[in-house]
């Protein structure tokens, strides 16, 4: 008595225009009276995009706009032709999201069960689910831990698990909000390599500037505005100048 | 501390559908209470151990842990029965309960939480009529199992942080100084978890529903 969609993965047929990227049109956001983001007009099509800025500058809010976790109080966010305000389910299938704290993202007691969770939501049949879970676990070095309790994993393994749980859903784009902040150097490097190897478009919010090596485009957010939009070299330089003046 | 009791093995018992195992457990309980004799209780105990240790190849420790967990309770029960009725009655009462505890342990150790919750969801199916979403009941159970160890760990961390700054409160004060910050963390975490659930399509459910009927 489970009700499943006959097909599994999000069909690209739902999508108006898969290659269009993420567009922000006149986007602003406020929490109550407090303006957190304002006047953002961008089109994000590059495969590797970084977002940097001071604490509280609005980066996480910006990131959450991209998959409809936050709907802007002004303007529109359009993902491949889908409006996050009206087509949020389809948007979330297109855009995966990885958070900073893996503990808050792992919702099932064991590794394989957790990875299967998103697929279950999408109505993927059990056989296909098991196969895709196994494949992802193998790819990210968790194959030996399929039946392990999630809370016994190391911090680095937990973050890999959280990422696997998103990638198994095969999103076309993935947003990461400070994915390496809680990790030691070795695990941070592993996550950085994993991100570098993804075929998806990625948008990474980070305070760890070396994560941006090889990126195509970096946005510097300050006071809720994008104050610099450039390749990593000039963008990081601008960010340092900005911070030096504080 | 481990609440995920599943012990992976390639056995027939593991492969049996969760519903069948739960029915067998229920049938065993009925049998034990319908035929309250020493022979039945003894045979059931041996049978349970044979299935658990022999067929399912569970480590002895898994069953021993459960038996140890209830030892004082069983001892008390035995004493009460021995005093009010007689020793044989006390013996088979204790054997009966021990058998059920072990049989339940065999079921949990050979069944994944998700399989178990799928059964719970099926049983809760009729509640759909009164507006309950069975998937949510299942998710709630799974998430409780997942987050209890996380919360224990957070509580330990708070206590450690307080100890590091010279605090070692006891009694009611300890409860207050640990519980307040823990509650703040729990609320923050609940918010983060709900975002993570959304990001992984938790509310994709209506799509599933619309295909029905
Ligand atoms: N749910 C919310 N309700 C009210 N205010 C919020 C909420 N979320 C964020 N804010 C506020 O909005 C501002 C921007 O927050 P945001 O989390 O986007 O910043 P950030 O750049 O990600 O910061 P950090 O680097 O510390 O993660 C902050 O001042 C924050 O306090
Ligand atoms: Mg942030």
């Amino acid at each position: 008595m489970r009700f499943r969609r006959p097909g599994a993965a999000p069909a690209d047929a739902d999508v108006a225009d898969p290659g269009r990227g993420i567009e922000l049109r006149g986007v602003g956001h406020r929490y109550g009276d407090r303006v957190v983001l304002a006047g953002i007009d961008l089109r994000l099509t590059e495969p590797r995009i970084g977002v940097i800025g001071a604490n509280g500058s609005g980066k996480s809010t910006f990131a959450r706009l991209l998959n409809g976790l936050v709907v802007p109080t002004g303007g529109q966010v359009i993902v491949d032709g889908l409006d996050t305000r009206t087509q949020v389910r389809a948007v979330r299938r297109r855009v995966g999201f990885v958070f900073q704290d893996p503990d808050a993202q792992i919702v099932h007691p064991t590794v394989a069960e957790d990875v299967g969770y998103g697929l279950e939501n999408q109505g993927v049949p059990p056989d296909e689910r098991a196969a895709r879970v196994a494949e992802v676990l193998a790819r990210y070095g968790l194959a030996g831990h399929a039946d392990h309790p999630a809370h016994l994993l190391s911090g680095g393994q937990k973050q890999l698990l959280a990422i696997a749980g998103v990638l198994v859903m095969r999103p076309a784009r993935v947003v990461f909000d400070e994915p390496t902040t809680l990790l030691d150097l070795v695990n941070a490097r592993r996550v950085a390599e994993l991100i570098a190897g993804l075929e998806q478009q990625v948008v990474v919010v980070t305070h760890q500037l070396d994560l941006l090596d090889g990126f195509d485009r970096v946005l510097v957010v300050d006071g809720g505005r994008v104050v610099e939009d450039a390749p990593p070299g000039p963008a990081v330089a601008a960010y340092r100048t900005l911070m030096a003046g504080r | 501390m481990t609440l995920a009791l599943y012990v992976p093995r390639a056995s027939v018992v593991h492969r049996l559908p969760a519903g069948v195992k739960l029915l067998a457990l229920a049938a065993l309980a009925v049998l034990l209470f319908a035929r309250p004799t020493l022979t039945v209780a003894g045979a059931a105990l041996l049978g349970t151990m044979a299935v658990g240790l022999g067929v399912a190849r569970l480590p002895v420790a898994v069953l021993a842990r459960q038996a140890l967990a209830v030892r004082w309770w069983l001892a008390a029960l035995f004493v009460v029965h021995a005093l009010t009725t007689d020793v044989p009655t006390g013996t088979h009462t204790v054997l009966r309960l021990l058998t059920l505890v072990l049989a339940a342990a065999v079921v949990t150790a050979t069944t994944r939480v998700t399989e178990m919750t799928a059964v719970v969801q099926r049983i809760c199916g009729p509640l759909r009529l009164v507006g309950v979403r069975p998937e949510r009941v299942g998710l709630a159970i799974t998430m409780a199992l997942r987050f209890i160890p996380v919360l224990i760990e957070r509580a330990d961390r708070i206590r450690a942080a307080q100890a590091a700054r010279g605090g070692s409160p006891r009694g009611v004060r300890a409860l207050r100084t640990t519980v307040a910050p823990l509650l703040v963390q729990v609320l923050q975490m609940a918010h983060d978890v709900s975002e993570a659930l959304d990001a992984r399509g938790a509310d994709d459910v209506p799509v599933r529903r619309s295909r029905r009927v």
Side-chain angles (χ1 to χ4, degrees), chain A residues 162-187:
Chain A
I163 295 174
V166 171
L167 293 179
V168 75
M169 299 167 76
R170 299 184 181 156
R173 312 170 189 285
V174 189
V175 179
F176 293 84
D177 190 358
E178 300 194 32
T180 57
T181 302
L182 300 176
L183 305 182
D184 64 26
L185 281 178
V186 174
N187 285 304

Side-chain angles (χ1 to χ4, degrees), chain A:
Chain A
M1 255 211 354
R2 305 295 308 266
F3 316 113
R4 302 198 180 290
R5 281 159 49 107
D12 271 346
D14 298 351
V15 179
D17 187 357
R20 212 158 122 193
I22 305 178
E23 296 159 84
L24 295 94
R25 300 185 187 153
V27 167
H29 191 71
R30 46 173 83 211
Y31 291 110
D33 288 342
R34 177 166 191 176
V35 178
V36 178
L37 291 173
I40 299 183
D41 280 286
L42 290 170
R43 177 146 170 226
L44 309 174
T45 50
E46 296 77 4
R48 296 288 178 266
I49 298 177
V51 180
I52 55 180
N55 289 127
S57 56
K59 302 179 301 298
S60 294
T61 308
F62 177 84
R64 282 163 171 72
L65 288 172
L66 307 182
N67 80 331
L69 278 175
V70 168
V71 175
T73 50
Q76 281 179 302
V77 180
I78 312 282
V79 178
D80 296 327
L82 302 161
D83 190 325
T84 60
R85 196 183 310 270
T86 52
Q87 289 154 293
V88 69
R89 289 204 180 87
V91 167
R92 291 205 184 130
R93 285 174 169 235
R94 302 277 311 155
V95 186
F97 201 106
V98 176
F99 299 81
Q100 174 181 331
D101 181 2
D103 263 337
Q105 305 174 67
I106 301 168
V107 295
H108 278 58
T110 66
V111 172
E113 288 174 312
D114 187 73
V115 174
Y117 172 70
L119 296 179
E120 203 179 327
N121 287 332
Q122 291 186 344
V124 176
D127 290 349
E128 188 190 335
R129 222 192 294 159
R132 279 169 67 175
V133 168
E135 178 202 321
V136 166
L137 290 180
R139 187 160 353 125
Y140 299 112
L142 291 168
H145 296 81
D147 287 310
H148 272 220
H151 74 277
L152 297 183
L153 298 179
S154 72
Q157 287 172 322
K158 279 186 193 169
Q159 189 59 296
L160 288 176
L161 169 57
I163 295 174
V166 171
L167 293 179
V168 75
M169 299 167 76
R170 299 184 181 156
R173 312 170 189 285
V174 189
V175 179
F176 293 84
D177 190 358
E178 300 194 32
T180 57
T181 302
L182 300 176
L183 305 182
D184 64 26
L185 281 178
V186 174
N187 285 304
R189 191 181 344 115
R190 281 178 75 188
V191 168
E193 283 165 5
L194 188 161
I195 292 174
L198 291 178
E199 59 194 21
Q200 280 96 339
Q201 180 193 33
V202 300
V203 178
V204 182
V205 174
T206 187
H207 289 296
Q208 217 173 326
L209 303 176
D210 53 1
L211 204 61
L212 305 173
D213 289 348
F215 271 43
D216 303 299
R217 181 177 178 187
V218 174
L219 310 175
V220 181
V221 180
D222 194 49
R225 294 182 176 268
V226 176
V227 296
E228 186 71 48
D229 180 351
V236 168
Y239 176 50
R240 288 193 200 282
T241 312
L242 192 66
M243 291 301 112
R246 301 264 149 108

